[in-house]
Protein backbone atom coordinates (compact mmCIF):
# COMPACT_ATOMS: atom_id res chain seq x y z
CA UNK A 1 0.00 0.00 0.00
CA UNK A 2 1.42 3.47 -0.87
CA UNK A 3 2.88 5.40 2.03
CA UNK A 4 0.47 8.33 1.71
CA UNK A 5 -2.45 5.88 1.94
CA UNK A 6 -1.02 4.31 5.09
CA UNK A 7 -0.63 7.77 6.62
CA UNK A 8 -4.18 8.75 5.67
CA UNK A 9 -5.68 5.62 7.21
CA UNK A 10 -3.65 6.06 10.40
CA UNK A 11 -4.80 9.69 10.63
CA UNK A 12 -8.42 8.63 10.14
CA UNK A 13 -8.36 6.66 13.41
CA UNK A 14 -7.89 9.56 15.90
CA UNK A 15 -10.10 11.76 13.74
CA UNK A 16 -12.93 9.27 14.26
CA UNK A 17 -12.07 8.90 17.95
CA UNK A 18 -12.93 12.57 18.26
CA UNK A 19 -16.57 11.58 17.77
CA UNK A 20 -16.55 9.47 20.94
CA UNK A 21 -17.47 12.37 23.23
CA UNK A 22 -20.54 13.48 21.29
CA UNK A 23 -21.69 9.87 20.75
CA UNK A 24 -21.26 9.06 24.45
CA UNK A 25 -23.04 12.17 25.72
CA UNK A 26 -25.82 12.26 23.14
CA UNK A 27 -26.52 8.59 22.41
CA UNK A 28 -25.58 6.44 25.42
CA UNK A 29 -26.97 6.04 28.96
CA UNK A 30 -25.22 8.36 31.41
CA UNK A 31 -23.07 7.09 34.26
CA UNK A 32 -21.70 3.76 32.95
CA UNK A 33 -18.11 4.55 31.92
CA UNK A 34 -16.59 1.14 32.68
CA UNK A 35 -19.50 -0.74 31.14
CA UNK A 36 -19.39 1.42 28.01
CA UNK A 37 -15.63 0.89 27.69
CA UNK A 38 -16.02 -2.88 28.17
CA UNK A 39 -18.83 -3.12 25.62
CA UNK A 40 -16.78 -1.08 23.20
CA UNK A 41 -13.87 -3.52 23.41
CA UNK A 42 -14.96 -7.06 24.30
CA UNK A 43 -17.78 -7.86 21.82
CA UNK A 44 -15.80 -6.18 19.05
CA UNK A 45 -12.66 -8.13 19.87
CA UNK A 46 -14.56 -11.44 19.95
CA UNK A 47 -16.24 -10.61 16.62
CA UNK A 48 -12.88 -9.90 15.01
CA UNK A 49 -11.44 -13.15 16.40
CA UNK A 50 -14.37 -15.03 14.83
CA UNK A 51 -13.64 -13.29 11.53
CA UNK A 52 -9.88 -13.89 11.65
CA UNK A 53 -10.30 -17.42 13.05
CA UNK A 54 -7.10 -17.29 15.01
CA UNK A 55 -6.58 -17.53 18.77
CA UNK A 56 -3.47 -16.09 20.38
CA UNK A 57 -0.78 -18.57 21.37
CA UNK A 58 -0.35 -19.19 25.09
CA UNK A 59 3.12 -17.65 25.02
CA UNK A 60 1.57 -14.33 23.96
CA UNK A 61 -1.10 -14.08 26.66
CA UNK A 62 1.08 -12.09 29.07
CA UNK A 63 2.08 -9.53 26.46
CA UNK A 64 -1.50 -9.24 25.23
CA UNK A 65 -2.67 -8.58 28.78
CA UNK A 66 -0.16 -5.75 29.08
CA UNK A 67 -1.07 -4.30 25.68
CA UNK A 68 -4.81 -4.64 26.30
CA UNK A 69 -4.44 -2.88 29.63
CA UNK A 70 -2.30 -0.03 28.26
CA UNK A 71 -4.20 0.59 25.02
CA UNK A 72 -7.72 0.01 26.33
CA UNK A 73 -8.40 -0.86 29.99
CA UNK A 74 -6.20 1.67 31.77
CA UNK A 75 -6.40 4.27 29.01
CA UNK A 76 -10.17 4.26 28.71
CA UNK A 77 -10.74 4.09 32.48
CA UNK A 78 -8.40 7.06 33.01
CA UNK A 79 -10.05 8.89 30.12
CA UNK A 80 -13.51 8.55 31.65
CA UNK A 81 -12.27 9.46 35.14
CA UNK A 82 -10.60 12.59 33.78
CA UNK A 83 -13.77 13.47 31.86
CA UNK A 84 -15.83 13.25 35.05
CA UNK A 85 -13.36 15.20 37.21
CA UNK A 86 -12.12 17.83 34.76
CA UNK A 87 -13.62 20.16 32.18
CA UNK A 88 -13.25 18.57 28.76
CA UNK A 89 -10.75 21.18 27.61
CA UNK A 90 -8.39 20.55 30.52
CA UNK A 91 -8.54 16.79 29.98
CA UNK A 92 -7.91 17.14 26.24
CA UNK A 93 -4.99 19.52 26.79
CA UNK A 94 -3.32 17.18 29.29
CA UNK A 95 -3.94 14.23 26.97
CA UNK A 96 -2.23 16.12 24.17
CA UNK A 97 1.16 15.43 25.80
CA UNK A 98 0.88 11.87 24.48
CA UNK A 99 2.68 12.50 21.13
CA UNK A 100 5.64 14.00 22.97
CA UNK A 101 5.77 11.02 25.34
CA UNK A 102 5.61 8.61 22.40
CA UNK A 103 8.60 10.27 20.72
CA UNK A 104 10.67 10.02 23.92
CA UNK A 105 9.63 6.43 24.63
CA UNK A 106 10.28 5.38 21.04
CA UNK A 107 13.79 6.74 21.42
CA UNK A 108 14.35 4.88 24.70
CA UNK A 109 12.65 1.58 23.85
CA UNK A 110 12.97 1.25 20.07
CA UNK A 111 16.08 3.33 19.45
CA UNK A 112 14.16 5.63 17.10
CA UNK A 113 15.86 8.86 16.14
CA UNK A 114 14.61 12.12 17.65
CA UNK A 115 14.17 14.85 15.06
CA UNK A 116 13.68 18.50 15.84
CA UNK A 117 10.72 18.80 13.48
CA UNK A 118 8.81 16.08 15.31
CA UNK A 119 9.63 17.50 18.75
CA UNK A 120 8.62 21.03 17.76
CA UNK A 121 5.37 19.76 16.26
CA UNK A 122 4.60 17.78 19.42
CA UNK A 123 5.18 20.80 21.67
CA UNK A 124 3.32 23.25 19.44
CA UNK A 125 0.49 20.76 19.12
CA UNK A 126 -0.08 20.89 22.88
CA UNK A 127 -0.34 24.69 22.62
CA UNK A 128 -2.71 24.38 19.67
CA UNK A 129 -4.99 21.95 21.52
CA UNK A 130 -4.97 24.26 24.55
CA UNK A 131 -6.17 27.16 22.39
CA UNK A 132 -8.72 24.91 20.75
CA UNK A 133 -10.42 23.51 23.85
CA UNK A 134 -9.11 25.03 27.08
CA UNK A 135 -11.41 27.25 29.14
CA UNK A 136 -9.37 29.89 31.03
CA UNK A 137 -11.92 29.78 33.87
CA UNK A 138 -11.56 26.01 34.36
CA UNK A 139 -10.70 24.85 37.87
CA UNK A 140 -8.08 22.08 38.17
CA UNK A 141 -8.72 18.85 40.08
CA UNK A 142 -5.76 16.87 41.34
CA UNK A 143 -7.21 13.41 40.78
CA UNK A 144 -8.52 14.40 37.36
CA UNK A 145 -5.14 15.79 36.34
CA UNK A 146 -3.38 12.59 37.42
CA UNK A 147 -5.96 10.52 35.53
CA UNK A 148 -5.54 12.55 32.33
CA UNK A 149 -1.75 12.37 32.49
CA UNK A 150 -1.88 8.68 33.43
CA UNK A 151 -4.10 7.96 30.45
CA UNK A 152 -1.69 9.76 28.13
CA UNK A 153 1.26 7.79 29.52
CA UNK A 154 -0.69 4.51 29.26
CA UNK A 155 -1.62 5.05 25.62
CA UNK A 156 1.91 6.21 24.76
CA UNK A 157 3.39 3.07 26.31
CA UNK A 158 0.84 0.97 24.46
CA UNK A 159 1.73 2.57 21.13
CA UNK A 160 5.45 1.92 21.58
CA UNK A 161 5.06 -1.64 22.90
CA UNK A 162 2.62 -2.46 20.10
CA UNK A 163 5.51 -1.80 17.73
CA UNK A 164 8.08 -3.62 19.87
CA UNK A 165 5.92 -6.68 20.52
CA UNK A 166 4.70 -7.27 16.98
CA UNK A 167 3.62 -10.90 16.43
CA UNK A 168 3.86 -12.49 12.97
CA UNK A 169 0.13 -12.09 12.29
CA UNK A 170 -1.94 -9.61 10.26
CA UNK A 171 -2.83 -6.31 11.89
CA UNK A 172 -6.52 -7.26 12.07
CA UNK A 173 -5.69 -10.36 14.11
CA UNK A 174 -3.46 -8.35 16.44
CA UNK A 175 -6.27 -5.81 16.85
CA UNK A 176 -8.73 -8.58 17.73
CA UNK A 177 -6.41 -9.99 20.38
CA UNK A 178 -5.78 -6.63 22.02
CA UNK A 179 -9.44 -5.57 22.05
CA UNK A 180 -10.47 -8.89 23.58
CA UNK A 181 -7.75 -8.68 26.23
CA UNK A 182 -8.68 -5.11 27.12
CA UNK A 183 -12.39 -5.98 27.31
CA UNK A 184 -11.78 -9.02 29.52
CA UNK A 185 -9.71 -6.91 31.92
CA UNK A 186 -12.51 -4.33 32.11
CA UNK A 187 -15.31 -6.88 32.59
CA UNK A 188 -14.89 -7.64 36.35
CA UNK A 189 -14.56 -3.94 37.20
CA UNK A 190 -17.69 -3.06 35.23
CA UNK A 191 -19.65 -5.83 36.96
CA UNK A 192 -18.33 -4.93 40.41
CA UNK A 193 -18.61 -1.15 40.38
CA UNK A 194 -21.54 -0.32 38.08
CA UNK A 195 -25.21 -1.34 38.02
CA UNK A 196 -26.80 -3.16 35.11
CA UNK A 197 -27.60 -1.07 32.07
CA UNK A 198 -31.19 0.12 31.69
CA UNK A 199 -33.25 -1.15 28.72
CA UNK A 200 -31.51 0.14 25.61
CA UNK A 201 -33.21 2.37 23.06
CA UNK A 202 -32.54 2.33 19.34
CA UNK A 203 -30.35 5.41 19.83
CA UNK A 204 -28.34 3.65 22.56
CA UNK A 205 -27.80 0.62 20.32
CA UNK A 206 -26.70 2.82 17.42
CA UNK A 207 -24.22 4.56 19.72
CA UNK A 208 -22.75 1.27 20.92
CA UNK A 209 -22.47 -0.02 17.34
CA UNK A 210 -20.64 3.14 16.27
CA UNK A 211 -18.20 3.03 19.18
CA UNK A 212 -17.59 -0.70 18.77
CA UNK A 213 -17.53 -1.35 15.03
CA UNK A 214 -16.21 2.01 13.81
CA UNK A 215 -14.64 3.64 16.88
CA UNK A 216 -12.83 0.46 17.94
CA UNK A 217 -12.63 -2.33 15.33
CA UNK A 218 -12.03 -0.24 12.20
CA UNK A 219 -10.03 2.59 13.72
CA UNK A 220 -7.73 0.48 15.86
CA UNK A 221 -7.03 -1.75 12.87
CA UNK A 222 -5.91 1.38 10.98
CA UNK A 223 -3.98 2.61 14.04
CA UNK A 224 -2.14 -0.64 14.77
CA UNK A 225 -1.42 -1.14 11.08
CA UNK A 226 0.06 2.37 11.00
CA UNK A 227 2.25 1.56 14.00
CA UNK A 228 3.39 -1.64 12.29
CA UNK A 229 4.09 -0.17 8.87
CA UNK A 230 5.24 3.37 9.72
CA UNK A 231 6.38 3.32 13.34
CA UNK A 232 5.16 5.28 16.40
CA UNK A 233 7.06 8.48 15.58
CA UNK A 234 5.41 8.73 12.17
CA UNK A 235 1.81 8.55 13.36
CA UNK A 236 1.77 9.94 16.90
CA UNK A 237 1.10 13.51 15.72
CA UNK A 238 -2.26 12.37 14.38
CA UNK A 239 -3.49 12.18 17.97
CA UNK A 240 -4.07 15.95 17.83
CA UNK A 241 -6.92 15.29 15.39
CA UNK A 242 -9.17 13.88 18.14
CA UNK A 243 -9.85 17.18 19.98
CA UNK A 244 -10.06 18.97 16.62
CA UNK A 245 -12.79 16.58 15.45
CA UNK A 246 -14.62 16.92 18.77
CA UNK A 247 -14.70 20.71 18.49
CA UNK A 248 -15.83 20.62 14.85
CA UNK A 249 -18.65 18.18 15.68
CA UNK A 250 -19.73 20.33 18.62
CA UNK A 251 -19.90 23.33 16.30
CA UNK A 252 -21.65 21.48 13.47
CA UNK A 253 -24.11 19.35 15.44
CA UNK A 254 -24.62 21.06 18.81
CA UNK A 255 -24.48 24.69 17.73
CA UNK A 256 -21.37 25.50 19.77
CA UNK A 257 -19.51 28.66 18.79
CA UNK A 258 -15.87 28.93 17.77
CA UNK A 259 -13.83 31.82 19.13
CA UNK A 260 -10.86 33.39 17.31
CA UNK A 261 -8.54 31.62 19.77
CA UNK A 262 -10.11 28.29 18.92
CA UNK A 263 -9.75 28.95 15.21
CA UNK A 264 -6.08 29.81 15.78
CA UNK A 265 -5.65 26.58 17.74
CA UNK A 266 -7.25 24.61 14.91
CA UNK A 267 -4.80 26.08 12.41
CA UNK A 268 -1.84 25.23 14.68
CA UNK A 269 -3.09 21.66 15.14
CA UNK A 270 -3.50 21.16 11.40
CA UNK A 271 0.00 22.52 10.74
CA UNK A 272 1.50 20.27 13.42
CA UNK A 273 -0.23 17.23 11.94
CA UNK A 274 0.89 18.13 8.42
CA UNK A 275 4.48 19.07 9.24
CA UNK A 276 5.27 16.89 12.25
CA UNK A 277 6.54 13.84 10.39
CA UNK A 278 10.15 12.84 10.74
CA UNK A 279 12.41 12.42 7.73
CA UNK A 280 13.51 8.98 8.91
CA UNK A 281 10.05 7.40 8.81
CA UNK A 282 10.13 3.92 7.31
CA UNK A 283 7.84 1.02 6.85
CA UNK A 284 10.55 -1.62 6.95
CA UNK A 285 10.01 -4.40 9.47
CA UNK A 286 13.72 -5.05 9.73
CA UNK A 287 14.26 -2.00 11.92
CA UNK A 288 12.44 -3.57 14.86
CA UNK A 289 14.32 -4.86 17.82
CA UNK A 290 13.48 -8.36 18.91
CA UNK A 291 10.95 -8.54 21.74
Amino acid sequence: MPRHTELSLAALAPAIWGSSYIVTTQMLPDGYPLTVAMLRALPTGILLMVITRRLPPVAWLGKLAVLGALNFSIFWAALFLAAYRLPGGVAATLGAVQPLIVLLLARAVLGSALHSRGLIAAILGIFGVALLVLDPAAHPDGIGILAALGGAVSMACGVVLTRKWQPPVPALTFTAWQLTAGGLLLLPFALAFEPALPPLTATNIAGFLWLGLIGAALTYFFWFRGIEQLGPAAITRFGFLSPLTAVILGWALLGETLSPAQLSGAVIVILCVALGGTPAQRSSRTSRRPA
Side-chain angles (χ1 to χ4, degrees):
M1 187 178 294
R3 180 181 176 79
H4 68 274
T5 303
E6 296 279 10
L7 287 168
S8 298
L9 292 177
L12 187 61
I16 292 176
W17 294 338
S19 69
S20 298
Y21 176 77
I22 195 168
V23 170
T24 300
T25 57
Q26 302 297 315
M27 301 181 69
L28 300 184
D30 186 35
Y32 299 87
L34 295 176
T35 301
V36 169
M38 183 273 294
L39 290 176
R40 185 181 181 184
L42 185 56
T44 305
I46 294 174
L47 175 63
L48 290 182
M49 285 211 296
V50 171
I51 292 173
T52 58
R53 298 183 180 182
R54 186 161 184 177
L55 294 173
V58 174
W60 265 89
L61 294 182
K63 290 179 180 179
L64 289 173
V66 173
L67 292 173
L70 292 173
N71 283 319
F72 301 107
S73 308
I74 296 174
F75 174 58
W76 282 349
L79 194 68
F80 279 116
L81 179 58
Y84 278 110
R85 308 271 315 200
L86 294 172
V90 176
T93 302
L94 292 170
V97 304
Q98 179 194 316
L100 180 60
I101 298 173
V102 167
L103 291 177
L104 298 176
L105 284 177
R107 172 62 178 171
V109 177
L110 303 175
S112 302
L114 277 176
H115 296 277
S116 58
R117 190 169 71 183
L119 288 172
I120 292 171
I123 294 170
L124 286 180
I126 298 171
F127 178 67
V129 170
L131 286 177
L132 188 64
V133 298
L134 189 59
D135 181 1
H139 298 289
D141 174 89
I143 296 176
I145 289 173
L146 289 176
L149 291 175
V153 172
S154 177
M155 183 63 169
C157 291
V159 167
V160 174
L161 289 180
T162 294
R163 172 68 179 223
K164 182 176 176 63
W165 294 342
Q166 188 72 47
V169 297
L172 187 63
T173 301
F174 198 23
T175 303
W177 292 354
Q178 290 199 53
L179 279 168
T180 303
L184 287 173
L185 291 171
L186 282 165
L187 179 60
F189 294 96
L191 294 175
F193 295 109
E194 292 181 355
L197 285 170
L200 299 180
T201 66
T203 299
N204 297 153
I205 294 172
F208 277 117
L209 289 175
W210 173 265
L211 289 180
L213 298 179
I214 305 301
L218 181 65
T219 55
Y220 275 96
F221 166 63
F222 290 160
W223 187 246
F224 291 148
R225 180 180 171 85
I227 294 172
E228 174 191 356
Q229 298 294 327
L230 305 169
I235 69 167
T236 185
R237 67 190 190 276
F238 297 143
F240 295 132
L241 293 175
S242 287
L244 178 62
T245 301
V247 169
I248 292 173
L249 288 176
W251 167 76
L253 301 179
L254 302 180
E256 298 175 354
T257 59
L258 293 177
S259 67
Q262 286 179 300
L263 293 174
S264 299
V267 171
I268 293 173
V269 165
I270 292 171
L271 289 175
C272 290
V273 169
L275 303 177
T278 60
Q281 295 166 350
R282 293 187 177 180
S283 59
S284 173
R285 295 169 182 253
T286 60
S287 62
R288 295 194 196 105
R289 292 182 177 182

